Amino acid sequence: MRDEFPLVSEILHLNHAGVGPWPRRTVEAVTRFAAENAHRGSLRYPDWLAAEQRLRERLARLINAAPSDIALVKSTSEALSIIAHGLHWRPGDNIVGITQEFPSNRIVWESLASQGVTLRQLDIDRSAQPEDDLLTLCDENTRLVAVSSVQYARGLRLDLARLGTSCRARGIRLCIDAIQSLGAFPFDLRVVGADFVVADGHKWMLGPEGLALLYVSPALREELELRQFGWHMVAERGQFERRDWRPAPDATRFECGSPNMLGVHALEASLSLLDEVGIDQVAAAIGERVARLIELTDRHGFELLSPRSAPLRAGIVTFRVPDRDQQALYQALMGSGVLCAQRGAGIRFSPHFHTSEETIEQAMTLTAALAHQL
C-alpha cells in the first residue's frame, strides 16, 4: 500500500475520521479527467456517465443495495436535510437520537422544531446499553430514530442490527449516518434494516469532499416530499422540451442538477481500491491497528476514552494525557506532522487499513515526548 499512499515522511496521518488522503489511483484518475477536459472537452461524456454508473454500483455493493437505490448528493448534511424536510411531520412527533452527535446529525432534526417536532437525545456517556436506552426514549409519537453507526468523538460502534430489529417491531423508521463506518466495516442493509443511510466519501471511503451517498428505502421513496427541483431529477431526463415531467422513479429523483463529475471519477477510483482489498480484510486490518493503539495508550499511561471492548470499537481511538492541556497537546502534535483531531475531551487517532505500524509507533512515542514538554 505504500505505492498507493505516498505520504511524505514528515506526515504521520491518523485522521481518517476527519479527512483521509487520496490513493495514488484517485490522484491519477482526477489528473486524467482534468487533462481530458483540457484537450477534448466533453467529447467522451458517455464514458463519464459510465464512470458514474460504476460508482453507483460500488456504493450499492458497500451497503448491499441496488444501484438504482443510490442517490449522489453533495454531503451528509444535504442527505439528512432531504430526509428531514421530505418526511411529513405532525405537531407532537418526536425523533430519538444521541447527545454526542456531530452537528450534521443534530442541527437538521432541531430545525424541525417550528413544525412542532422535538428531538429526544440519549447521553451515551451514561449508558451501558445505548440500543436499549434509545428505545426507552421512544413512545407512541416517535417517528424516527436517527443515529450515527459510529460516534465521531470517541468511536463507539452501535449494534445496528439489534437497533433495526427493535425499530421495525415498533413501526419506527431508522436513519443511519454511516460516515464513520462505510469504507471501514461491512454494512448490510438486509441485516440492519435501515430506512435511510447517508455517508460522505471523504473519510473512510478515501474520496473527495463534496460527494455523498443517500439511500432511501424504495418503499418510502415516494413518501418524501421533494424540495429541490431541476432537469436531472425527472423521469424523462434528456427530453428538454417535454412539459409533463414527473420525478424519476429511482433514487435520482433526489439529484436535482448536474452531477459532480470530478468527484465521481475520484470516488469511483478510491472505491475500486477498497473493492480490490475487500471490506472484510479492511475491517480486520483496522481492528489490528486500533488494538495496537490501545495497547500503546495503556503502555504510556494515557487515559483511554474510546471503548475497550472489540465489538464496541471502530476505527477511532481517543485518549487523554492526564494532567496535560489537551488543546496544547493537539496543537503540538499537528505542528509536528501528526494529523489527528481534538475530540471527546481528548486526542483522536483514526488509522485506516493502509496505516503502517511504524506510523502508529512513531505517533504514540511523539505524543509521550510532547506531553512531557508541556
Side-chain angles (χ1 to χ4, degrees):
M1 286 297 104
R2 293 199 178 200
D3 184 58
E4 281 284 359
F5 294 93
L7 290 163
V8 297
S9 59
E10 296 83 6
I11 293 294
L12 301 175
H13 197 293
L14 288 165
N15 195 32
H16 285 86
V19 179
W22 292 2
R24 183 188 296 275
R25 66 180 64 192
T26 303
V27 175
E28 292 173 349
V30 169
T31 301
R32 285 194 303 270
F33 182 72
E36 184 174 319
N37 270 270
H39 300 298
R40 293 182 175 82
S42 59
L43 176 65
R44 299 177 59 218
Y45 200 87
D47 292 337
W48 301 358
L49 293 177
E52 180 185 344
Q53 180 59 25
R54 290 196 303 274
L55 173 59
R56 291 184 199 276
E57 292 168 356
R58 294 189 191 280
L59 288 169
R61 285 196 295 274
L62 205 56
I63 64 171
N64 195 11
S68 59
D69 295 336
I70 303 299
L72 304 175
V73 297
K74 294 192 296 292
S75 65
T76 301
S77 296
E78 182 184 40
L80 289 171
S81 293
I82 289 171
I83 297 164
H85 291 277
L87 289 168
H88 295 277
W89 302 97
R90 302 179 299 265
D93 284 345
N94 67 69
I95 300 161
V96 169
I98 290 173
T99 301
Q100 294 84 357
E101 285 283 9
F102 193 74
S104 296
N105 207 9
R106 172 177 50 80
I107 292 173
V108 66
W109 311 117
E110 291 174 340
S111 73
L112 298 170
S114 62
Q115 299 183 45
V117 180
T118 57
L119 175 62
R120 299 179 173 185
Q121 295 175 297
L122 171 70
D123 183 351
I124 55 171
D125 290 343
R126 299 184 178 184
S127 172
Q129 297 290 338
E131 296 84 4
D132 292 343
D133 291 340
L134 281 165
L135 292 165
T136 299
L137 289 177
C138 297
D139 61 17
E140 67 275 7
N141 294 317
T142 302
R143 297 277 307 286
L144 183 76
V145 171
V147 295
S148 293
S149 54
V150 172
Q151 300 313 116
Y152 81 103
R154 300 191 182 185
L156 172 68
R157 179 160 50 152
L158 294 180
D159 185 340
L160 298 180
R162 180 179 173 189
L163 188 60
T165 298
S166 298
C167 284
R168 286 194 300 276
R170 299 179 63 167
I172 299 171
R173 293 168 180 168
L174 177 61
C175 179
I176 302 296
D177 177 352
I179 194 171
Q180 294 293 3
S181 62
L182 283 191
F185 298 95
F187 187 104
D188 190 341
L189 268 172
R190 296 182 183 179
V191 174
V192 174
D195 298 289
F196 311 103
V197 180
V198 303
D200 255 299
H202 64 270
K203 298 183 186 294
W204 304 94
M205 286 189 270
L206 303 171
E209 294 180 283
L211 191 59
L213 157 97
L214 165 62
Y215 166 84
V216 176
S217 169
L220 300 176
R221 196 177 290 155
E222 293 195 8
E223 287 190 27
L224 287 188
E225 185 174 351
L226 297 173
R227 305 288 184 178
Q228 301 180 92
F229 300 88
W231 75 274
H232 194 273
M233 48 77 69
V234 300
E236 302 80 12
R237 190 186 312 152
Q239 299 181 27
F240 302 128
E241 302 301 323
R242 186 164 178 165
R243 299 288 178 169
D244 59 333
W245 62 270
R246 58 191 174 87
D250 62 12
T252 60
R253 63 170 44 213
F254 304 116
E255 304 170 8
C256 63
S258 298
N260 174 5
M261 276 298 178
L262 182 63
V264 163
H265 280 75
L267 186 54
E268 195 277 327
S270 295
L271 290 182
S272 74
L273 175 60
L274 295 179
D275 276 348
E276 288 178 15
V277 177
I279 196 64
D280 290 333
Q281 288 72 26
V282 168
I286 292 173
E288 292 171 359
R289 285 148 180 78
V290 166
R292 181 58 176 158
L293 276 170
I294 292 175
E295 179 185 340
L296 292 171
T297 295
D298 293 339
R299 180 180 299 179
H300 287 291
F302 304 157
E303 178 187 353
L304 180 66
L305 302 177
S306 292
R308 189 174 293 276
S309 171
L312 300 180
R313 65 192 190 213
I316 290 171
V317 175
T318 303
F319 61 89
R320 65 182 299 274
V321 179
D323 304 319
R324 294 293 185 274
D325 184 330
Q326 307 304 304
Q327 173 65 17
L329 177 57
Y330 163 71
Q331 292 176 342
L333 284 166
M334 291 292 288
S336 300
V338 181
L339 269 62
C340 57
Q342 186 181 12
R343 299 285 191 273
I347 305 299
R348 185 185 72 183
F349 283 177
S350 48
H352 213 316
F353 77 102
H354 62 86
T355 306
S356 68
E357 183 175 350
E358 180 183 15
T359 293
I360 291 172
E361 299 278 351
Q362 289 179 354
M364 293 301 278
T365 299
L366 186 56
T367 300
L370 291 171
H372 183 72
Q373 296 172 15
L374 294 177

